[in-house]
């Protein structure tokens, strides 16, 4: 009898491993919609134990409907979101609408990995977003560190940058495009510029006809002043991504005044060696009436735009 039990156990395990070998390697990726489904086994046990399905069938059906609700729920058609991910001393921002997403920069990299692997890809998958494109501000590693990893996960995504690299679409002054009903306008750098570094960052303004956000990369005072002297009428925006992580080399008083925004979003690591964002920069924005948001204190920052304006949920 004992040998038969061991034989049966062996056959069951063999069948189990046969099925497991046919699953794809790695983790099974689930998104936030499955969160409530995870309690379904417990509800089934309770329903069986107390025979709720006999006494209250309507209640059981209602619970099942509520658990499946996240799979059919759609955000309002006029709503879009911008999320500044907490990637430490770097920058990665997600623009999302209708289940699709764009990235502005891809965060830093380090010897053992990068922000693409550790933050961006898991975040996009958890929120069930399909990445369609990447805007790369400039070539510094704290802004492009996760690019290769992200492109491996979404090889069909286009890349737009001022770098002139193979397969990159241009991101220079005068470039305009639309995506999911949003308008994109590149304000900097100038076409034909061969400069590199912070002041060559691709500056992009996104608007929906009511609200807008100005993405500035790492531009410093020199580029700010050159941009303002030519295109100051186009700079007014509801929100601004604070240039160069809040360094005092950027966010000149002139830029802060010309943008005339309602809020400023800064990305930096907590206790970083450069003490960014600078206290002077924070005060400069606050004195002009901006609400201040920064990842060192608040972590990930999300802003929701809709017909009613914008809010930080």
């Amino acid at each position: 009898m004992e040998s038969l039990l061991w034989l049966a156990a062996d056959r069951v395990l063999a069948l189990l491993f046969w099925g497991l070998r046919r699953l794809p390697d790695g983790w099974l990726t689930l998104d936030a919609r499955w969160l409530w489904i995870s309690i379904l086994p417990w509800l089934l046990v309770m329903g069986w134990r107390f025979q709720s399905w006999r006494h209250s069938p309507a209640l059981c059906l209602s619970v099942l409907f509520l658990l499946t609700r996240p799979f059919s729920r759609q955000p309002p058609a006029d709503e879009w979101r911008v999320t500044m991910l907490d990637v430490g001393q770097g920058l990665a921002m997600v623009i999302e609408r209708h289940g699709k997403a764009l990235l502005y920069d891809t965060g830093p990299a380090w010897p053992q990995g990068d922000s693409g692997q550790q933050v961006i890809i898991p975040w996009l998958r958890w929120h069930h977003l399909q990445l369609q494109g990447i805007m790369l501000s400039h070539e510094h590693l704290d802004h492009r560190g996760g690019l290769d990893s992200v492109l491996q996960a979404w090889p069909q995504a286009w890349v737009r940058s001022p770098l002139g690299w193979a397969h990159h679409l241009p991101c220079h002054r005068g470039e305009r495009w639309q995506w999911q009903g949003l308008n994109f306008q590149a304000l900097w750098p100038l076409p034909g510029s061969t400069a590199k570094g912070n002041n060559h960052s691709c500056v992009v303004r996104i608007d929906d006809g009511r609200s807008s956000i100005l993405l500035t990369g790492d531009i410093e005072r020199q580029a700010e002043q050159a941009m303002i002297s030519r295109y100051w009428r186009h700079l007014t925006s509801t929100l601004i991504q604070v240039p160069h992580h809040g360094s005092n080399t950027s966010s000149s008083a002139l830029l802060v005044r010309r943008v005339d925004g309602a809020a400023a979003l800064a990305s930096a690591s907590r206790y970083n060696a450069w003490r960014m964002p600078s206290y002077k920069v924070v005060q400069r924005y606050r004195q002009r009436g901006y609400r201040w948001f920064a990842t060192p204190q608040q972590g990930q920052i999300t802003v929701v735009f809709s017909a009613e304006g914008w809010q930080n949920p």
Side-chain angles (χ1 to χ4, degrees), residues 20-300:
L20 290 175
R21 281 194 294 269
R22 277 148 183 79
L23 292 175
D25 293 335
W27 294 95
L28 179 63
T29 301
L30 300 178
D31 56 59
R33 299 174 302 168
W34 290 88
L35 186 61
W36 291 106
I37 294 292
S38 63
I39 68 172
L40 183 59
W42 296 103
L43 293 176
L44 291 175
V45 170
M46 293 173 62
W48 171 78
R49 175 65 180 82
F50 298 105
Q51 297 189 347
S52 302
W53 57 276
R54 287 185 177 179
H55 306 307
S56 306
L59 176 62
C60 294
L61 290 174
S62 298
V63 170
L64 288 175
F65 173 77
L66 291 174
L67 289 175
T68 58
R69 176 65 176 158
F71 290 89
S72 59
R73 185 173 56 190
Q74 298 293 331
D78 66 342
E79 183 179 290
W80 57 290
R81 293 173 177 246
V82 173
T83 299
M84 179 175 277
L85 300 177
D86 187 3
V87 294
Q89 192 63 28
L91 180 66
M93 300 184 70
V94 180
I95 301 95
E96 60 173 287
R97 195 177 203 186
H98 304 153
K100 308 295 192 298
L102 299 181
L103 279 173
Y104 182 79
D105 284 343
T106 59
W110 50 91
Q112 294 79 28
D114 58 67
S115 295
Q117 297 172 343
Q118 301 296 323
V119 180
I120 298 171
I121 294 173
W123 192 91
L124 289 172
R125 286 177 172 167
W126 177 249
H127 289 85
H128 192 56
L129 295 172
Q130 178 187 351
L131 183 69
Q132 295 190 322
I134 302 167
M135 295 169 284
L136 202 62
S137 66
H138 62 299
E139 76 279 8
H140 288 172
L141 196 60
D142 57 333
H143 291 253
R144 65 166 179 87
L147 180 63
D148 291 343
S149 296
V150 171
L151 286 177
Q152 286 179 6
W154 288 279
Q156 80 289 348
W158 49 260
V159 181
R160 189 179 286 272
S161 80
L163 303 175
W165 292 355
H167 310 299
H168 283 208
L169 298 171
C171 191
H172 297 101
R173 165 69 189 172
E175 296 288 337
R176 296 172 182 264
W177 66 97
Q178 287 192 325
W179 174 83
Q180 299 296 319
L182 300 177
N183 303 306
F184 291 72
Q185 180 182 10
L187 301 176
W188 194 260
L190 296 175
S193 172
T194 58
K196 300 295 181 184
N198 292 344
N199 282 327
H200 194 60
S201 293
C202 176
V203 177
V204 178
R205 185 179 184 273
I206 309 171
D207 80 86
D208 62 5
R210 297 178 299 268
S211 302
S212 56
I213 183 169
L214 187 67
L215 306 178
T216 61
D218 271 358
I219 58 169
E220 299 178 346
R221 283 195 185 91
Q222 180 184 355
E224 291 174 5
Q225 292 171 1
M227 184 172 62
I228 291 168
S229 67
R230 294 172 173 86
Y231 318 114
W232 61 270
R233 291 184 180 87
H234 303 285
L235 293 176
T236 303
S237 302
T238 312
L239 274 68
I240 182 174
Q241 171 253 314
V242 177
H244 200 191
H245 317 287
S247 167
N248 199 35
T249 62
S250 307
S251 294
S252 62
L254 183 59
L255 177 71
V256 174
R257 185 168 65 251
R258 286 298 186 192
V259 172
D260 193 27
L265 284 61
S267 177
S269 64
R270 195 169 179 85
Y271 306 122
N272 63 80
W274 304 273
R275 298 184 179 181
M276 298 177 183
S278 163
Y279 174 78
K280 292 181 179 179
V281 168
V282 176
Q283 292 304 110
R284 198 173 297 150
Y285 280 100
R286 284 178 169 163
Q287 287 170 4
R288 291 293 303 181
Y290 288 75
R291 290 180 61 187
W292 178 263
F293 299 93
T295 59
Q297 288 75 40
Q298 294 158 291
Q300 175 183 299

